[in-house]
Amino acid sequence: MYKILFFDNNNKIIIVANNSKENNKNILYKLVKHIKEKNDNKANIKEEDDKIIIANDNFQYELFFNTENNINIKIIKHQDKLAFNNFTYLENEFHDYINSFNIISAKKRLKKINESIKDNMWLDFMINDYKTDLHIVGSNDLSCYHDIEIIFKNVIHIECDTHFNACPSEYDVFMVDENYNNSNIKINIHTDSKTFHIICEDIDYSNKMVRYDYNYNSLYSADKEKIIKKYELIKENDKWYQEKENSHKALIFTDKFFNTNDTIGIIFRIYKLCFAKVKYFRTFYYKFEYYKYDYKKGFVETELWDVEFFKHIDSGLMIDLRYLQSITVYEDFVKLCDELDSYSK
């Protein structure tokens, strides 16, 4: 990403920030080619010593690195004589070059991010760190690991929940706002329930898997076999689906997720419950008993694999998994947890 730092009217030079800080002519070529495209490809490009020159009948610009490895654009000729003598009139033109280039670069980067997660029916995300840069991590189960990290560099504005989830297989989660006209970029983050916004100077990402410490002491194959039967899950090409009457076949999770997750993780994924809920019920499992409902017998105690209601021992409250589904705002779930914790004996 580029950002205009200074217009030097005396020396006819526009100084552009080079975020990579590398003295690499490919960086100059990318910007020169973009300027050519913005002028209907009606310009010639040539390399001369340590600079690259782009010119046509209307203008001539020389691009080179200064001592700080930022990019200098020297205006040798311009068809607008008034603008040539007063750079104030060139600001819009070069801001347009830089802004449009940044949008194109961001779109390419976000396309790679969206493509790297599109095979997931469901992903949980959370803000992992926020100082100058904002780090958002995501995975199928954030209480155990993350396998995507998006870094928003030099954030100047943020409207985003600390925890959210999305369905990458159904839509692109991260998109550039092309109507935002500024040297920074505005990223829209799409979820099922709302759209978040982040304004920053640049973006980067990593697909490295980072595992957290967790003891999978409930990875019982017997439980998994019973879950498959109860929810009528069908395995096809290393993915597990559920096909209900009068509805389309729905992807529930991958075989990798199924093999590396515990009973709570699998059940909560079937109900599309976010990692914050998984983490709470994993951590405080000893505060709950497991129940299902029989229309003749009423509430019947059962095993974890068969659970439909969590009975909070201290309060006696019955918490329906479908009720947990209805909680879509993280702060509302925190209020529920606080209320349950207030009953502690």
Side-chain angles (χ1 to χ4, degrees), residues 4 16 20-21 24 105 114 135 152 162 173 182 196 201 211 243-244 266 268 270 300 340:
I4 294 177
V16 179
S20 71
K21 294 301 179 185
N24 186 331
S105 298
N114 288 321
H135 295 249
F152 302 84
T162 55
V173 179
N182 193 284
F196 303 118
E201 288 188 5
R211 286 202 168 274
E243 190 169 11
K244 296 181 180 179
I266 292 170
F268 277 43
I270 291 172
V300 179
L340 295 176

Side-chain angles (χ1 to χ4, degrees), residues 34-282:
H34 179 68
I35 294 173
K36 181 178 179 179
E37 290 171 0
K38 293 288 287 184
N39 285 276
D40 300 321
N41 288 313
K42 295 177 180 178
N44 298 314
I45 299 173
K46 67 176 182 178
E47 185 175 340
E48 189 176 289
D49 297 327
D50 60 347
K51 58 190 174 185
I52 297 175
I53 301 170
I54 178 170
N56 63 17
D57 293 338
N58 298 320
F59 66 81
Q60 180 177 332
Y61 308 144
E62 294 180 353
L63 284 77
F64 54 93
F65 291 107
N66 61 22
T67 55
E68 297 177 347
N69 279 343
N70 287 318
I71 299 169
N72 281 9
I73 305 176
K74 186 172 179 63
I75 313 301
I76 305 300
K77 181 179 72 174
H78 198 281
Q79 63 178 347
D80 189 334
K81 301 299 182 183
L82 180 61
F84 184 75
N85 292 316
N86 188 340
F87 266 26
T88 301
Y89 297 98
L90 281 179
E91 287 189 21
N92 288 338
E93 176 183 340
F94 278 88
H95 275 300
D96 179 61
Y97 286 146
I98 298 302
N99 295 348
S100 57
F101 181 87
N102 287 343
I103 286 175
I104 292 171
S105 298
K107 286 174 68 175
K108 291 179 179 178
R109 185 66 56 84
L110 292 177
K111 182 180 180 181
K112 290 181 179 179
I113 293 173
N114 288 321
E115 287 179 347
S116 74
I117 61 177
K118 69 178 181 180
D119 290 336
N120 294 279
M121 181 195 72
W122 175 283
L123 276 184
D124 292 318
F125 294 92
M126 73 173 181
I127 294 177
N128 189 46
D129 187 32
Y130 181 29
K131 293 173 184 175
T132 302
D133 298 340
L134 175 70
H135 295 249
I136 291 180
V137 297
S139 79
N140 287 132
D141 189 351
L142 279 173
S143 60
C144 302
Y145 69 95
H146 71 254
D147 53 8
I148 179 69
E149 180 177 13
I150 304 103
I151 304 103
F152 302 84
K153 298 183 177 181
N154 294 323
V155 171
I156 60 173
H157 179 77
I158 176 173
E159 297 176 34
C160 184
D161 288 350
T162 55
H163 302 77
F164 61 92
N165 48 63
C167 302
S169 63
E170 298 179 12
Y171 49 79
D172 288 336
V173 179
F174 301 95
M175 297 288 289
V176 176
D177 188 338
E178 298 188 46
N179 295 318
Y180 183 73
N181 187 22
N182 193 284
S183 59
N184 297 302
I185 52 174
K186 182 178 180 181
I187 310 299
N188 294 332
I189 303 176
H190 300 286
T191 72
D192 282 348
S193 57
K194 61 179 73 173
T195 299
F196 303 118
H197 312 286
I198 297 174
I199 299 174
C200 59
E201 288 188 5
D202 202 354
I203 50 175
D204 201 357
Y205 75 103
S206 169
N207 287 120
K208 179 181 178 182
M209 177 177 283
V210 178
R211 286 202 168 274
Y212 314 142
D213 291 334
Y214 180 72
N215 180 19
Y216 288 98
N217 53 14
S218 59
L219 293 175
Y220 302 131
S221 58
D223 274 9
K224 293 185 176 183
E225 291 170 5
K226 293 173 183 175
I227 290 171
I228 291 171
K229 185 176 180 180
K230 175 177 179 175
Y231 293 98
E232 298 180 339
L233 301 179
I234 304 168
K235 183 180 178 182
E236 294 181 7
N237 299 322
D238 297 325
K239 294 179 181 178
W240 289 90
Y241 296 87
Q242 189 178 54
E243 190 169 11
K244 296 181 180 179
E245 188 176 354
N246 299 322
S247 64
H248 295 293
K249 182 170 66 176
L251 173 65
I252 305 301
F253 38 61
T254 64
D255 198 40
K256 179 181 177 181
F257 176 87
F258 186 66
N259 290 329
T260 59
N261 241 286
D262 61 353
T263 304
I264 283 184
I266 292 170
I267 292 173
F268 277 43
R269 176 60 65 208
I270 291 172
Y271 280 86
K272 295 186 176 181
L273 301 178
C274 69
F275 100 97
K277 297 165 188 173
V278 175
K279 185 176 181 180
Y280 180 82
F281 282 88
R282 270 190 185 139

